[in-house]
Amino acid sequence: MTDKMTIALITGANKGIGHAIAAGLADRGMTVLVGARDVERRDAAVERLRAAGGDVHGLTLDVTAADTIAMAAEEIAARYGRLDVLVNNAGITGDERQIPGAGPEVPAEVRRVFETNVFGAIAVTEAMLPLLLRSPAGRVVNVSGRGGSLTAMATTDGEFADLPALLGYPASKAALNAVTTQYAKHLRANGILVNAICPGHTATEGNGFSGDRTVEQGAAIAVRMATLGPDGPTGAFVDENGPIPW
Ligand SMILES: NC(=O)c1ccc[n+]([C@@H]2O[C@H](COP(=O)([O-])OP(=O)(O)OC[C@H]3O[C@@H](n4cnc5c(N)ncnc54)[C@H](OP(=O)(O)O)[C@@H]3O)[C@@H](O)[C@H]2O)c1
């Protein structure tokens, strides 16, 4: 290891936007750790990213499984001694059991979405914090979404007007945004910049490929916020056009 290496971990990097973020950071010369919960999908992603020339390594990481998070942190500590970039990308949308009125299964489905999108991001960030604090320029990017904007949620004729009301996914991203501001506050004095981003409506398995953007387009803002200079923002919620209303 040399001091010049930048070590980046992306959760849920085996496909979709996370995979494109991993590719984007590898393209910029970073050593990229592909976090994935499935070993086969992880190894296939590592192979693809290496074939494109990246310095890429796989890490088994299920953001809802404390043992895998602890093992991943131990492995990074042993191999590199620090972490420079953490992208909390792993996320799920949940299913129709999160629609108000769906019945007794609603709380369990909302909890399932929060376990990955909110508690997963917190658990991974907590485990990686000692390693990020050893970085000369730590960066944390939380992959949120415009659907987590309370302003957008409260608008009756906006871009989400035709979607059913959902109790899990939008609230989970609003919670992730709140968590982002609190980590930013906590880490500001250490020079660690923590931001939430929206990739835009991107075609991935997560939405049945209904998005109109490519994963590379979706990943671009995350890559930008992962490579901020020391004067970059912290505690912000942004897409490629700038700040998004909370
Ligand atoms: N696509 C959009 O339009 C859009 C818009 C706004 C925000 N986002 C956000 O962007 C992020 C990436 O989503 P995507 O659209 O790329 O969806 P995707 O193709 O479904 O990818 C999601 C990734 O998260 C992983 N994942 C899910 N649960 C996990 C867990 N418990 N532990 C570790 N990894 C886990 C998945 O792994 P498996 O392959 O093992 O399932 C997969 O690698 C999510 O946070 C999503 O909410 C997406």
Side-chain angles (χ1 to χ4, degrees), residues 12 14-17 37 41 61-64 89-92 116 143-145 169 173 199-202 204-207:
N14 54 283
K15 68 183 181 194
I17 295 164
R37 57 182 166 174
R41 289 196 286 274
L61 182 51
D62 180 332
V63 304
T64 64
N89 164 79
I92 58 172
T116 300
V143 180
S144 181
Y169 184 79
K173 294 301 188 186
H201 195 208
T202 304
T204 65
E205 247 176 79
N207 56 24

Side-chain angles (χ1 to χ4, degrees), residues 18-241:
H19 187 271
I21 296 170
L25 295 180
D27 268 356
R28 278 157 187 74
M30 292 190 188
T31 293
V32 167
L33 309 178
V34 168
R37 57 182 166 174
D38 179 90
V39 175
E40 279 180 24
R41 289 196 286 274
R42 179 199 72 187
D43 289 349
V46 169
E47 210 170 295
R48 281 192 301 273
L49 293 162
R50 279 186 181 162
D55 181 25
V56 180
H57 309 269
L59 269 186
T60 299
L61 182 51
D62 180 332
V63 304
T64 64
D67 56 339
T68 71
I69 297 171
M71 272 168 52
E74 277 171 31
E75 211 170 316
I76 297 170
R79 270 202 237 160
Y80 308 105
R82 67 167 200 281
L83 183 66
D84 301 297
V85 173
L86 169 63
V87 183
N88 287 307
N89 164 79
I92 58 172
T93 47
D95 61 31
E96 66 284 351
R97 290 170 297 175
Q98 65 184 300
I99 295 174
E105 290 180 36
V106 168
E109 181 59 8
V110 172
R111 198 170 288 123
R112 189 174 74 88
V113 173
F114 269 66
E115 283 297 343
T116 300
N117 296 4
V118 186
F119 301 120
I122 294 174
V124 173
T125 306
E126 285 300 312
M128 301 302 159
L129 216 46
L131 295 166
L132 285 163
L133 285 165
R134 286 190 218 143
S135 169
R139 304 287 179 260
V140 179
V141 180
N142 290 331
V143 180
S144 181
R146 190 176 294 277
S149 159
L150 289 171
T151 306
M153 281 184 233
T155 306
T156 51
D157 58 354
E159 61 188 297
F160 303 114
D162 294 337
L163 294 178
L166 298 174
L167 295 168
Y169 184 79
S172 77
K173 294 301 188 186
L176 182 62
N177 287 350
V179 164
T180 302
T181 66
Q182 299 309 294
Y183 273 120
K185 178 179 183 178
H186 183 68
L187 295 169
R188 198 180 303 257
N190 300 96
I192 298 180
L193 306 179
V194 186
N195 292 291
I197 64 98
C198 172
H201 195 208
T202 304
T204 65
E205 247 176 79
N207 56 24
F209 297 96
S210 66
D212 52 11
R213 290 161 62 79
T214 66
V215 288
E216 288 76 20
Q217 288 172 322
I221 183 64
V223 170
R224 197 195 306 169
M225 299 310 274
T227 53
L228 286 174
D231 297 331
T234 192
F237 176 32
V238 297
D239 68 10
E240 63 197 9
N241 299 313

